[in-house]
């Protein structure tokens, strides 16, 4: 056989070699492991829509090349084994289980490539009672099908925080140390009959029209009325504004809701807020938030101009402060839930591959062990 005729044989032998498979598996595993470790440092739920927070490794071209080469290697092995068994007319079902297992691995790798190229993350913030129209194609990579171009709406019906206190936990300290369970009731509708209402716990997923949605962050939004100098309330010259607060998480489960340097075109000064959904006082007399539940709301307001503090005051719902002729009225607060959406067309492909791999292993284990047992009982060599 000439060198030119021998070259395809060598290429085929190398493509299905075990050494190449092991090298590629080690490289892919190492890359995924490093990405998972880095994920802990870079994960920010509010920035998930940027597509750079999780699964970043799957988008790198060099990683996709490694996965593609591994897929070709497995495909070559699977085809080679299938051809040899067909020629040998092997009746050993367990060996076909091995083929099915390798085919499942190939399907998993195909799903990985689809995920790396087409997965989309987004975030949607909903205030209780608010409905938002969601452009479907803005959350996905699907834009050609009329079915998927149809937009849908999300409505935040209710957010509820439940305290799971034990009978012996009655003191203020016990309340502060308790972590709360937050539930969001979300309604999803596409204007037709496809309406889904779900009460979701934190990180609990709902699957709707090919998109996974789950609550990832929570907070409160203030309802404020700004009345400029000389405004006549009967002529509705006051402005009603909604101001979402920034949420800060603490290890004890209690959250802080703040907003520094808030500005509005109607105001000539900046305002800083600290919102207490359950206002209380500690032993030192300082204000504190006893829980995340909307039970005894209070709002600390600090108005400043050119670095000078003009007013500092705690106001309750319905109360106002007056600064330089402007009136700010605190009308209360409503909870908000931030949903993270994930569109991942490769997920189902990966699940199919996992099912095929498990089925192949099952066939290999059951029928392989049966043949060994029969051979042993007949005294045949194993």
């Amino acid at each position: 056989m000439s060198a030119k005729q021998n070259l395809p044989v060598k290429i085929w032998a190398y493509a299905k070699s075990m050494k190449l498979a092991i090298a590629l598996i080690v490289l892919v595993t190492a890359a995924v492991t490093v990405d998972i470790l880095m994920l802990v440092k870079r994960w920010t739920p509010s920035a998930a829509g940027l597509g750079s927070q999780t699964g970043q490794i799957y988008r790198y071209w060099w990683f996709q090349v490694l996965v593609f080469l591994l897929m070709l290697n497995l495909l070559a092995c699977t085809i080679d084994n299938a051809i040899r068994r067909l020629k040998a007319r092997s009746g050993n079902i367990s060996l076909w289980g091995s083929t099915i297992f390798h085919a499942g691995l190939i399907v998993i790798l195909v799903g990985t490539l689809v995920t790396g190229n087409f997965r989309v993350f987004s975030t949607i913030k909903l205030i209780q009672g608010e409905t938002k129209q969601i452009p479907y194609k803005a959350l996905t990579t699907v834009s050609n099908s009329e079915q998927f171009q149809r937009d849908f709406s999300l409505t935040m019906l209710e957010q509820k925080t439940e305290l799971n206190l034990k009978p012996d936990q009655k003191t203020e300290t016990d309340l502060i140390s308790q972590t709360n369970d937050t539930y969001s009731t979300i309604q999803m509708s596409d204007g037709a009959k496809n309406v889904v209402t779900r009460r979701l716990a934190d990180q609990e997923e709902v699957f709707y029209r090919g998109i996974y949605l789950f609550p990832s962050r929570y907070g409160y939004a203030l309802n404020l009325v700004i009345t400029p100098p000389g405004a006549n309330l009967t002529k509705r010259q006051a402005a009603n504004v909604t101001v979402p607060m920034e949420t800060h998480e603490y290890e004890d489960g209690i959250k802080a809701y703040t907003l520094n340097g808030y500005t509005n075109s109607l105001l000539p000064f900046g305002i800083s807020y600290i919102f207490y959904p359950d206002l209380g006082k500690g032993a030192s007399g300082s204000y504190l938030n006893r829980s995340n539940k909307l039970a005894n709301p209070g709002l600390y307001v600090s108005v400043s101009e050119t670095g000078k503090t003009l007013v500092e005051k705690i106001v309750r719902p319905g109360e106002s402060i007056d600064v330089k002729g402007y009136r700010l009225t605190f009308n209360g607060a409503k909870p908000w839930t931030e949903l993270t959406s994930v569109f991942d067309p490769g997920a189902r492909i990966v699940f199919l591959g996992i099912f095929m791999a498990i089925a192949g292993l099952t066939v290999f284990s059951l029928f392989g062990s049966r043949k060994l047992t029969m051979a042993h009982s007949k005294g045949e060599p194993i």
Side-chain angles (χ1 to χ4, degrees), residues 197-274:
T197 302
R198 287 285 302 272
R199 185 175 186 258
L200 303 173
D202 184 39
Q203 303 294 322
E204 182 181 355
E205 292 182 347
V206 60
F207 187 71
Y208 183 74
R209 292 183 61 191
I211 301 175
Y212 290 95
L213 295 163
F214 60 91
S216 54
R217 295 179 71 234
Y218 308 92
Y220 286 96
L222 308 178
N223 181 254
L224 303 173
V225 177
I226 301 174
T227 308
N232 189 337
L233 295 180
T234 60
K235 294 182 180 180
R236 301 192 177 187
Q237 292 177 312
N240 195 317
V241 298
T242 300
V243 183
M245 304 291 287
E246 296 176 359
T247 303
H248 304 276
E249 306 276 354
Y250 293 96
E251 292 182 358
D252 58 8
I254 300 298
K255 301 175 182 177
Y257 308 95
T258 64
L259 186 61
N260 296 320
Y262 170 75
T263 58
N264 188 286
S265 59
L266 297 174
L267 299 172
F269 42 75
I271 308 174
S272 293
Y273 300 105
I274 301 177

Side-chain angles (χ1 to χ4, degrees), residues 272-292:
S272 293
Y273 300 105
I274 301 177
F275 176 62
Y276 302 89
D278 191 8
L279 181 63
K281 283 192 175 182
S284 62
S286 59
Y287 292 105
L288 54 83
N289 190 27
R290 295 179 297 188
S291 72
N292 300 322

Side-chain angles (χ1 to χ4, degrees), residues 316-330:
R316 301 285 188 163
E319 296 181 349
S320 305
I321 62 170
D322 295 299
V323 186
K324 301 181 68 173
Y326 291 84
R327 171 168 292 182
L328 280 78
T329 304
F330 172 46

